[in-house]
Amino acid sequence: MKGKPVVDPVYMTATYKFDRSDDLIDVVQNRSGYIYSRWDNPSVKAVETELAGLEGYASAVGFGSGMAAITTAIMAHVKAGDRIVSTQEIYGGTYELLHDTLPAYHVDTAMINCGDLERLLAEIDKGLTLLYLETPTNPLLRVVDVKTLADAAHAKGAVVLLDSTFASPVNQHPVDLGVDVVIHSATKYLGGHHDVTAGFVCCNEPYFKKIWNLRKVLGGVMDPMSAFMTLRGMRTLELRILKHNENAMQIARFLETPDKVTSVHYPGLASHPDHAIARKQMSGFGGMLSFEINGDFDQTKRFMDQLGIIKLATSLGGVTSLANQPITNTHVALSPENRAKAGVSESLVRLSVGIEDVEDLIGDLYQALKAV
Ligand SMILES: Cc1ncc(COP(=O)(O)O)c(C=O)c1O
């Protein structure tokens, strides 16, 4: 038949057939093809190849969620008795993993305020197996000096992992900062439309083999449909991110003015504590911001309930603007003390700025602030 599909099909298959036993044996021994979709699948492979190229690494490994990517990437590199250094201001699920789950397996974790570079360097100096970073952070958009910390960790022989979800591959290029393993929750900007749950790591050898092998063992593999949807989302990644960046900057500037907002956290603002490092480390400031309402928990809730175009929902990174109160969902698992350490107050609102008309978004925020 003449004419070939412009778009590859979704390979909805769990297993693969062979004409000869020798071919099957070759695939098992040399990974020269496909044998079983918990190992590899052509649809998953297609999106892995695309993302690895974007991030500048030899390989990527696709997962069923961002958390599957994070747990597998970390567990591939630590064993009982090892030590991880990380920051307090990381995604709530990752915080639980480092703070609660891994210590139960006798992996020690030191979680330091990300603004305290000296303390972080001192903890690294004590010795570590793995440095785990996330920047910009969730929900306060702190920007961590990756190169300085990665260099210090490498000097101690550690592997450096970075969750680059908030930046996306468009706004930050971790390979240039010395990161060994980059992680993305593809549920966010890579998918981009709030309709996929998926995750990735990008890395070179020797990290790839370890992570790929543990994905096979733990089984948190990406499914072919999610791979197809993520690749489709990635076709417009750069266009979307540029619009997210532009909208978020305008909204951050707007939020600096009303007296119903006491502070705005956006790395693109000169008032942000990490503005200088963000300018150096990032090529765009991203679509995420957070701000404090001048009121208590109930008044902040009233503001949330008043939003119209901006949807009250958890998650982020898609075309539709979403707002949440981190204290009620993303950071609910943290004790009040640890929440305070992470800077998550009862009046904090996190906003994932979408790609809608920015005037409409500002109008929505304006009318909701009036209700406070
Ligand atoms: C920065 C960051 N990393 C990882 C995750 C986890 O991703 P997933 O929900 O796809 O498991 C999230 C989820 O919100 C996140 O914000």
Side-chain angles (χ1 to χ4, degrees), residues 65-67 70 91 94 134 138 163 165-166 185 187-188 197-198 316:
S65 69
M67 279 312 298
I70 292 166
Y91 170 62
T94 316
E134 181 183 315
N138 179 12
D163 182 338
T165 298
F166 268 41
S185 165
T187 315
K188 321 300 179 192
T197 303
L316 61 107

Side-chain angles (χ1 to χ4, degrees), residues 102-123:
L102 289 177
Y105 292 89
H106 305 287
V107 176
D108 182 27
T109 55
M111 303 181 72
I112 314 300
N113 180 325
C114 73
D116 195 343
L117 188 63
E118 261 176 47
R119 187 70 216 284
L120 269 165
L121 289 170
E123 288 297 331

Side-chain angles (χ1 to χ4, degrees), residues 270-281:
S271 58
H272 190 279
D274 306 319
H275 182 60
I277 180 73
R279 284 178 70 106
K280 196 168 125 197
Q281 191 167 276

Side-chain angles (χ1 to χ4, degrees), residues 31-81:
R31 285 197 55 219
S32 55
Y34 299 97
I35 172 86
Y36 190 55
S37 282
R38 182 158 44 74
W39 294 37
D40 280 308
N41 169 283
S43 300
V44 178
K45 179 70 72 192
V47 69
E48 287 170 342
T49 305
E50 184 86 8
L51 183 64
L54 257 185
E55 285 287 25
Y57 291 86
S59 309
V61 190
F63 290 88
S65 69
M67 279 312 298
I70 292 166
T71 50
T72 309
I74 292 177
M75 288 174 70
H77 292 100
V78 293
K79 58 183 186 325

